[in-house]
């Protein structure tokens, strides 16, 4: 199938609505300045064919989409041990909620809420070795390891937006609370400040739709690396499980509705990006900064609905 006309049609259909509805995330000051009328979409098939439209090559703050990649690192290095620290159930609570953590003794419901991703960041620091959390800005072994992975998967150099990371560090009071709370339950092994520094940096990764569609393409290829002939990124089983978590927990409190109306595993971020997977077919990334009331990109979800309606692709 030639997907280029499909993406062009989606951009043409949605263009009158670019920036017209929804709200750009304002709670991270550096994100509030992103122009609301940006819109990009890109996909990569399992065979490596690519198509893109709009601002598909413009880098943006991937925010919670990073949780997908840090989970991948933790799963492939830790296997089932990871699940002693983190659950696999939708939370039914806001992504930054503290309430459930109290009653569940510091074990986050899933790796895609903030508490879960902070617990995964703690695992990444441990996996990168002693002292991995030390280093200011983009330095530090764990941060360097994540950049190396993202650059390898995207096939070009990827960087952190240090201004966004600093902006989050200055205003992320809830994340500080979540991390301290987990530490008090003995659920973080590393220094709280180092764990948060890792978490704020992963959220501040800057990538374009094209780069994200490439980087996530192991998820539609049973874990195979985006480039032919390279060692697998995950096993086929792990890739299927990541897709399952995306479907059930990847779009905040809208996961049920997204499964109903789109029917694809998705992971969204408050920067307005959404990565979607059609297993055995393709990965797709759409970006439009204004968010709906559930915190998902308003036009991003509309674009995915149009894509599914037009192509008939769905996991159901
Ligand atoms: N860095 C954001 C936070 O921790 C990520 C939120 C998101 O994209 O869901 O609040």
């Amino acid at each position: 199938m030639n997907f280029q006309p499909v993406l062009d049609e989606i951009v043409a259909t949605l263009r009158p609505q670019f920036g017209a509805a929804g709200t750009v995330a304002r709670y991270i000051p550096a994100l509030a300045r992103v122009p609301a009328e940006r819109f990009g979409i890109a996909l990569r098939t399992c065979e490596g064919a690519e198509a893109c439209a709009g601002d598909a090559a413009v880098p943006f703050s991937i925010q919670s989409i990073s949780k997908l990649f840090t989970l991948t690192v933790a799963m492939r290095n830790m296997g089932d041990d990871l699940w002693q620290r983190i659950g696999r159930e939708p939370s039914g609570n806001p992504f930054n909620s503290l309430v459930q953590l109290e009653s569940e003794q510091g074990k986050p419901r899933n790796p895609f809420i903030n508490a879960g991703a902070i617990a995964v960041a703690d695992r990444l620091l441990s996996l990168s070795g002693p002292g991995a959390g030390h280093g200011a800005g983009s330095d530090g072994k764990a941060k360097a390891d994540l950049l190396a992975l993202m650059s390898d998967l995207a096939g070009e150099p990827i960087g952190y937006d240090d201004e966004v990371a600093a902006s989050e560090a200055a205003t992320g009071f809830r994340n500080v609370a979540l991390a301290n709370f987990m530490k008090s339950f003995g659920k973080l092994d590393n220094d709280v400040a180092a764990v948060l520094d890792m978490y704020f940096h992963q959220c501040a990764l800057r990538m374009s739709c094209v780069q994200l569609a490439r980087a996530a393409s192991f998820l539609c290829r049973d874990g195979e690396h985006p480039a032919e002939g390279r060692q697998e990124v995950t096993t086929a089983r792990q890739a299927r499980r990541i897709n399952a978590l995306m479907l059930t927990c990847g779009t905040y409190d809208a996961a049920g509705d997204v499964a109903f109306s789109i029917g694809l595993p998705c992971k969204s971020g408050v920067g307005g990006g959404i990565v979607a997977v059609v297993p055995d077919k393709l990965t797709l990334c759409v970006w439009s900064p204004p968010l709906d009331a559930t915190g998902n990109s308003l036009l991003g979800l509309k674009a995915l609905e149009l894509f599914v309606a037009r192509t008939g692709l769905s996991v159901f």
Side-chain angles (χ1 to χ4, degrees), residues 110-129:
N110 69 66
F112 292 153
I113 52 172
N114 283 11
I118 290 168
V120 171
D122 176 59
R123 307 292 70 229
L124 261 52
L125 289 185
S126 297
L127 287 167
S128 285

Side-chain angles (χ1 to χ4, degrees), residues 268-289:
S268 54
V270 295
I274 307 177
V275 165
V277 183
V278 186
D280 300 324
K281 291 270 186 314
L282 56 88
T283 41
L284 193 151
C285 179
V286 58
W287 172 52
S288 166

Side-chain angles (χ1 to χ4, degrees), residues 247 251 254-264 305 308 314-316:
L247 186 75
T251 44
D257 249 359
V258 170
F260 184 84
S261 53
I262 294 168
L264 296 176
E305 275 189 55
V308 168
S314 161
V315 295
F316 300 111

